[in-house]
Amino acid sequence: MPSVKDILIEMKDMSELMVDLAYSAVLFNNKAAAEEVLTLENRLNSMNYEIKKQSLVAARSLEDAEKLTTLLEIAEAAESMGNAAKDLADLTLKGFEPHLVFKMVMEESERNIIRVNVEDSSVLANQSLGELLLLNRTGMRIISIRRGDSWIYGPDKNTVILAGDVLIAKGSETGTEIIEKLADGEMHLEDLGNIEEFIDDD
């Protein structure tokens, strides 16, 4: 059973990811991203419940309860962020069309966020992020990976991508199409040609 500390860390990472996905879902009418937010929101709620349960078991005195109150408030705040992200994602699933001003603001402040499935035939499968250099080659940063029922947040150069993984990537509009084709097995790294034009300077 994960500790309260580990659960809080995961809740923090998850709530931040949900906000990114929700804004992207509304801006780009990305229903896949919106559905991902709903999936994460259910898990976030479960983790908050687990923290409350563990805290009740751990509190043996008034002093213990006071110390745990802060942790409970942080967990509640993370869940509130997730609920707000879900409300945004619901707009996309309900067919909401964002106002032009919203699009203008978001295009200035956000990069595109996408979800892609890594197929068996993909060049990404069984390669580490360090070997692939996706940020340099596509302008897309892998911000998390869903592997079955588990998540890898903030993957680093040593993280190996496996067939069947769901990648959550953030970056340029041009890079979006490229990484989708790489994940589908429709494109190889050699097809990218001059990678300099895809370098993300952020």
Side-chain angles (χ1 to χ4, degrees), residues 108-148:
E108 290 295 324
S109 62
E110 282 288 331
R111 311 281 320 247
N112 196 12
I113 300 175
I114 61 167
R115 179 182 73 173
V116 294
N117 297 302
V118 179
E119 302 296 336
D120 292 337
S121 58
S122 171
V123 68
L124 305 180
N126 303 314
Q127 298 290 321
S128 71
L129 292 177
E131 293 170 325
L132 291 168
L133 295 174
L134 290 178
L135 180 58
N136 289 344
R137 284 174 162 150
T138 69
M140 301 295 290
R141 177 181 286 107
I142 306 301
I143 57 179
S144 65
I145 300 173
R146 188 177 74 186
R147 183 168 294 164

Side-chain angles (χ1 to χ4, degrees), residues 1 16 26 54 57 71 93 105 121-122 150 162 176 183 190:
M1 179 183 298
E16 291 176 351
V26 175
Q54 289 194 34
V57 173
L71 297 180
L93 296 176
V105 170
S121 58
S122 171
S150 63
L162 303 179
T176 295
E190 296 79 7

Side-chain angles (χ1 to χ4, degrees), residues 39-144:
T39 299
L40 290 173
E41 196 260 348
N42 289 330
R43 182 167 178 177
L44 196 67
N45 292 343
S46 297
M47 288 191 292
N48 190 24
Y49 174 77
E50 181 63 30
I51 285 182
K52 291 177 180 176
K53 187 170 64 175
Q54 289 194 34
S55 297
L56 286 172
V57 173
R60 293 180 173 84
S61 66
L62 179 59
E63 183 180 359
D64 287 344
E66 289 176 345
K67 290 179 180 178
L68 290 168
T69 297
T70 301
L71 297 180
L72 292 172
E73 289 179 350
I74 293 173
E76 197 67 31
E79 184 176 357
S80 295
M81 289 175 61
N83 291 338
K86 175 184 176 295
D87 290 341
L88 272 175
D90 278 338
L91 295 177
T92 298
L93 296 176
K94 292 175 181 177
F96 167 80
E97 288 292 333
H99 191 278
L100 178 60
V101 172
F102 174 81
K103 288 188 174 183
M104 292 170 61
V105 170
M106 290 303 297
E107 285 170 357
E108 290 295 324
S109 62
E110 282 288 331
R111 311 281 320 247
N112 196 12
I113 300 175
I114 61 167
R115 179 182 73 173
V116 294
N117 297 302
V118 179
E119 302 296 336
D120 292 337
S121 58
S122 171
V123 68
L124 305 180
N126 303 314
Q127 298 290 321
S128 71
L129 292 177
E131 293 170 325
L132 291 168
L133 295 174
L134 290 178
L135 180 58
N136 289 344
R137 284 174 162 150
T138 69
M140 301 295 290
R141 177 181 286 107
I142 306 301
I143 57 179
S144 65

Side-chain angles (χ1 to χ4, degrees), residues 28 107 111-112 138-140 171-178 180:
F28 299 101
E107 285 170 357
R111 311 281 320 247
N112 196 12
T138 69
M140 301 295 290
S172 66
E173 185 174 348
T174 301
T176 295
E177 182 178 355
I178 294 172
E180 285 176 343

